[in-house]
Amino acid sequence: MEHTADADPRRWWGLVIIALAQLMVVLDATIVNIALPSAQHDLGISDGNRQWVITAYTLAFGGLLLLGGRIADLVGRKRTFVIGLVGFAAASALGGAATTAGMLFGARALQGAFAAVLAPSALSLLTTTFTDPKERGKAFGIYGALAGSGAAIGFIVGGLLTEYLDWRWCLYVNVPIAIVAVLGALSLLHDRPGQAGARLDVPGAVLGCGGLVAIVYGFSEAEPRGWADPLVLGLLAFGVVLLIAFVWWQSRAPMPLLPLHIIKDRDRAGCFLTMGLAVIGMFGLFLFMTYYLQVILGYSPVKTGLAFLPLTVAIITGSTQISARLLPRVQPRALMVPGAVLAAGGMMILTQLTVHSAYASDILPALLLMGLGMGMIFMPVFATATAGVAPQDSGVTSATVNTSQQVGGSIGTALLNTIATTSSTAYVTAHLTGPAGRAQVVAEGTVHGYTVAIWWATGIMLLAGLVAGLMVTARPPQHAPRTAVRESVT
């Protein structure tokens, strides 16, 4: 029997539940950033190991997403969605109750693993619930806004919870959200059953996940060890070899984890690349701005979180008021390319930061431009990458979009952080003439490092625009055939 999703008056409430789950997953990548100093002090985590509170989550999330997408296709999306929510809540509670550093790292990795199951099932439920082009545009606008602004919202919530309650609440807060989402999912979301007799591609999962984990781990270790370190070079080379083996195996596997026809599609490949490059620039920037506002300008956790609010508002505006309204009538790249140029323009403003920059004149305009630009990239990328996908492939396609976002974020943080640290050290060494004025030179060197890294982020963002302009040639959605999407609603 067929459910016509468009006839279900509760489908917009279903979108609220899907968006709530996605927001929880995305903001968890950053919510603990502001809480990190408190957690480090409480649990006695060393400076060298503190990055694992962030990296354990993004590694497990980025590395296991493809497997999560395939599980969603095999088991059924609604069931996978609920399992992911319950597991995520349990892992969050475990992390909040952590008494040792290892327990916190393990809980964060577990959170990432369940997020990898949850995120692709959320996006594929959205794909099959909204099939009318106009409604689909609105739904993806809301979803894209949350996916794009989740990291910034994480800073605000993290600041409030850390300053007024305790760092542990940055993890505990997921439990009530997950309970509401589970109850909503059970009553509001429809799904078709999983594919009978299908099985998981285990060798593909090992090769693909292993390759991604090795590369992200290599990038994260490049900051403390340096790019020429044998371990870093070995990890990056090993990761590349595993990914080449993964592609070779996918062309021969009886039931591949990532059917190669999904990434052979020019528009889809262009969307994945655009997303990855855009997020490399954006996530690294979040890290610098957090440290700049707290360490250089002396903002409190709450004030730092609130400083990101205009960015969040701008991303939501770009997604829902610009992209969602224009996408049915214009080519996706007509939004993505100007979006990348706008975001790069905002980043260029930030390359002028000094130790004494003012928020209103030097930072706010940049945040607004970046937010509008990212909103114009995220929404059309999500909508275009998942449009017209065969029902059995919607979970894995959704997972690939999310993988490009998470892996891009992990690489961006490690890559730009290494550039910033190296530039800062070189500046301090060149300008420090004696103990007098050391604090001032260190502060100037730190900001110099940020600006050098932001120039790199600007270049990567412009590259994202170039990729979108050259590779994404899809027509406006209302002119494109929608047979495959209609078939996927059962």
Side-chain angles (χ1 to χ4, degrees), residues 2-6 127-131 391 484-490:
E2 293 227 326
H3 288 290
T4 308
D6 294 321
T127 304
T128 55
T129 301
F130 294 92
T131 52
V485 179
R486 290 199 178 282
E487 284 168 6
S488 67
V489 185
T490 58

Side-chain angles (χ1 to χ4, degrees), residues 176 252 314 468:
R252 285 157 180 76

Side-chain angles (χ1 to χ4, degrees), residues 45 54 78 83 90 93 149 160 178 217 219 229 232 238 285 385 456 462 475:
I45 304 170
I54 310 293
K78 181 175 172 178
I83 291 167
S149 62
L160 289 166
Y217 184 28
F219 276 115
D229 184 83
V232 172
F238 183 55
L285 206 71
W456 279 85
L462 288 172
R475 291 177 292 172

Side-chain angles (χ1 to χ4, degrees), residues 202-282:
V202 178
V206 172
L207 291 169
C209 299
L212 288 173
V213 168
I215 286 174
V216 175
Y217 184 28
F219 276 115
S220 68
E221 286 295 300
E223 190 212 339
R225 294 171 179 270
W227 289 105
D229 184 83
L231 177 68
V232 172
L233 294 173
L235 280 167
L236 295 176
F238 183 55
V240 170
V241 169
L242 284 180
L243 289 182
I244 292 168
F246 170 76
V247 173
W248 171 83
W249 171 251
Q250 294 308 284
S251 64
R252 285 157 180 76
M255 296 195 71
L257 189 66
L258 175 61
L260 292 182
H261 65 83
I262 287 174
I263 50 173
K264 279 180 183 169
D265 178 276
R266 179 174 172 164
D267 292 323
R268 216 162 277 136
C271 284
F272 299 150
L273 261 179
T274 302
M275 172 65 89
L277 289 167
V279 173
I280 284 176
M282 201 66 176

